[in-house]
Amino acid sequence: HFHPNFEIYFITEGSVTYFIEDRKYHVRAGDIVIIPEGVIHRTEYEDGVCSRLLINCSPRYLPTSVRAEISSYLYLYRNPKIAEEVLEIFEKIEKEYNSPDPLSESIIVLYTHMLFYILKRNKASCEEIENHTNYMSEAIEYLKKNFTRKVTLRDTAKHLSMSPEHLSRSFKKENGVGFNKYVNLLRLQKAEELLRTTERSVSEIAEECGFD
């Protein structure tokens, strides 16, 4: 699925697996996950306990200077040296949200800005995590360019010089959803945008987005 808002998670206990775009992340306590608006993602809980804090906010809660760079951010931000400081900010935001007064909205914006400034300041010391294969990134890129036409598993496998069977198995394993479902998610995402920003009919939008 995808959302029109930003999601920022802080994992407080246990572990969980996130499938975000073309990458699979094994996330553990102390990690921060940033999912920008419109990014396809899925969560898969593992055995045992997993606790997390979530901020779901519109882009206006992000500092302008940081939002301009958000596309270069990692989805998974692992930086143990600032985990305690980040947790404190999440807890302060939660306190303001649960016990609001006339100033709470402005204070929450300030805390959220502070969170992103801290992440930006410490980005260089973030642990490097590489959890995707080059061919899967190429497959996702191919689908993003071709989902408005009749794109098939066989076409994509041929483009990648691999068998359809292997691509099908790998796609579900690395992205958390099957090939056809992912293509339809791309189409729905585009259709939602066109429904919000144009006056075209539903049938015209459906055709333009590749629906049969």
Side-chain angles (χ1 to χ4, degrees):
H1 62 270
F2 54 90
H3 305 289
N5 292 327
F6 271 79
E7 291 185 332
I8 307 107
Y9 290 94
F10 183 84
I11 311 304
T12 58
E13 183 182 5
S15 60
V16 64
T17 299
Y18 281 89
F19 299 89
I20 309 173
E21 289 279 75
D22 61 334
R23 304 191 182 195
K24 179 179 180 180
Y25 297 99
H26 297 289
V27 183
R28 66 194 190 201
D31 288 348
I32 301 132
V33 177
I34 302 172
I35 305 176
E37 77 269 39
V39 171
I40 294 173
H41 60 282
R42 177 175 171 268
T43 308
E44 185 175 279
Y45 294 95
E46 301 167 8
D47 293 336
V49 176
C50 176
S51 299
R52 58 186 186 169
L53 300 174
L54 164 65
I55 296 172
N56 190 315
C57 62
S58 69
R60 78 180 185 88
Y61 283 84
L62 278 68
T64 304
S65 61
V66 172
R67 195 181 177 206
E69 303 174 16
I70 201 70
S71 60
S72 66
Y73 271 52
L74 298 171
Y75 293 130
L76 171 57
Y77 195 106
R78 180 171 292 162
N79 198 336
K81 77 174 190 177
I82 62 168
E84 187 174 338
E85 186 176 9
V86 168
L87 176 58
E88 288 178 2
I89 294 175
F90 268 81
E91 290 174 341
K92 287 178 179 178
I93 291 173
E94 184 178 33
K95 182 179 179 181
E96 290 293 335
Y97 185 83
N98 289 332
S99 302
D101 63 30
L103 292 175
S104 290
E105 175 69 16
S106 298
I107 291 173
I108 288 173
V109 171
L110 288 173
Y111 281 144
T112 310
H113 281 208
M114 184 183 296
L115 171 62
F116 276 94
Y117 283 135
I118 289 170
L119 295 179
K120 180 177 180 178
R121 171 184 281 173
N122 295 277
K123 186 181 175 185
S125 59
C126 182
E127 292 182 18
E128 297 241 354
I129 302 162
E130 199 64 49
N131 282 327
H132 75 300
T133 57
N134 289 334
Y135 75 83
M136 192 55 64
S137 293
E138 188 177 350
I140 297 297
E141 190 63 29
Y142 178 80
L143 294 179
K144 286 181 176 179
K145 290 179 179 178
N146 294 282
F147 70 86
T148 56
R149 64 180 184 85
K150 188 177 180 180
V151 61
T152 66
L153 177 68
R154 188 170 297 278
D155 291 337
T156 309
K158 184 178 180 180
H159 175 75
L160 298 170
S161 300
M162 61 192 305
S163 73
E165 293 77 16
H166 179 60
L167 176 59
S168 179
R169 289 192 300 269
S170 300
F171 200 97
K172 179 67 180 290
K173 182 179 179 181
E174 294 204 29
N175 296 294
V177 296
F179 179 88
N180 289 331
K181 185 171 183 179
Y182 192 91
V183 172
N184 280 331
L185 279 171
L186 290 174
R187 289 171 175 162
L188 286 168
Q189 191 177 38
K190 182 64 176 178
E192 181 187 52
E193 177 190 344
L194 293 175
L195 284 167
R196 284 190 290 104
T197 59
T198 74
E199 298 298 324
R200 299 176 203 170
S201 69
V202 171
S203 57
E204 288 174 330
I205 289 175
E207 185 177 1
E208 182 173 339
C209 293
F211 287 108
D212 214 344

